[in-house]
Amino acid sequence: MTGATRRDGYPVRVTVNGAARTVEVSSTETLLDALRWNLDLTGSKECCAEGECGACTVLVDGRAVNSCLVLAVESDGLDITTVEGLETGGPAGGRLSRLQDAFLEKGAVQCGFCIPGMVMAAQALLNENPHPRPDEVREGLAGNLCRCAGYQRIVDAVLLAAEEDA
Ligand code: FES
Ligand code: FES
């Protein structure tokens, strides 16, 4: 090895849940890791880490993205929403969004591990299609796996949120 210095700390500027943030990340760190470990936003979960389960889903410019598949250094300038950003009223005394409430009302949560990703995928769907049919909800959530197999209640929750938004 010559005297070359290895550089592995890159500043990345992002907007997360409406706030401008700058984080220093390594060249191999994922957006999911940066959110969880650098920004303390642990709502997004890591499960498969290879784009198969959807547990890490966040919104990038309003669209669902598997954050485990995005390098943090590629995130510079992006507008990111995590599940924490759906709440209203701030961290202390924040209120769940209508969509999150609908998951509770329909009993769509079992162990809960998949739910942040499900909610974000559902939010992305509702952003594009505020009044989806049941088959459109299933298609919209097709990239999100639930090991507790509570799919019907999850679909019902998304339909309820859409109905109440009518
Ligand atoms: S943890 Fe990202 S898709 Fe499974
Ligand atoms: S509620 Fe347990 S994995 Fe979905």
Side-chain angles (χ1 to χ4, degrees):
M1 179 102 185
T2 66
T5 312
R6 178 173 168 268
R7 180 170 185 245
D8 207 9
Y10 299 88
V12 171
R13 292 165 205 80
V14 286
T15 301
V16 182
N17 299 334
R21 306 291 297 266
T22 301
V23 287
E24 184 141 317
V25 299
S26 75
S27 57
T28 56
E29 196 170 341
T30 65
L31 172 58
L32 176 61
D33 285 337
L35 291 170
R36 289 181 55 83
W37 302 112
N38 301 28
L39 293 173
D40 262 347
L41 294 167
T42 55
S44 309
K45 304 301 183 209
E46 180 172 283
C47 186
C48 69
E50 55 186 27
E52 296 292 337
C53 73
C56 63
T57 304
V58 298
L59 303 187
V60 174
D61 297 329
R63 306 188 65 152
V65 166
N66 289 332
S67 59
C68 72
L69 294 183
V70 178
L71 284 174
V73 290
E74 296 176 314
S75 309
D76 198 50
L78 297 183
D79 186 346
I80 298 160
T81 305
T82 69
V83 71
E84 290 90 344
L86 294 188
E87 293 182 24
T88 56
R95 289 191 39 214
L96 296 181
S97 70
R98 186 65 208 101
L99 177 60
Q100 290 169 306
D101 270 337
F103 271 68
L104 294 178
E105 280 175 42
K106 286 293 178 181
V109 180
Q110 294 184 55
C111 81
F113 199 80
C114 72
I115 297 300
M118 287 284 185
V119 168
M120 298 314 284
Q123 186 63 58
L125 170 69
L126 294 175
N127 288 347
E128 286 198 355
N129 179 1
H131 302 293
R133 299 186 309 264
D135 62 303
E136 291 173 325
V137 174
R138 286 193 191 88
E139 190 180 329
L141 299 181
N144 292 71
L145 304 182
C146 175
R147 291 168 63 95
C148 302
Y151 293 109
Q152 187 55 52
R153 290 185 182 203
I154 289 170
V155 171
D156 290 346
V158 179
L159 292 171
L160 175 64
E163 185 183 301
E164 292 185 347
D165 239 22

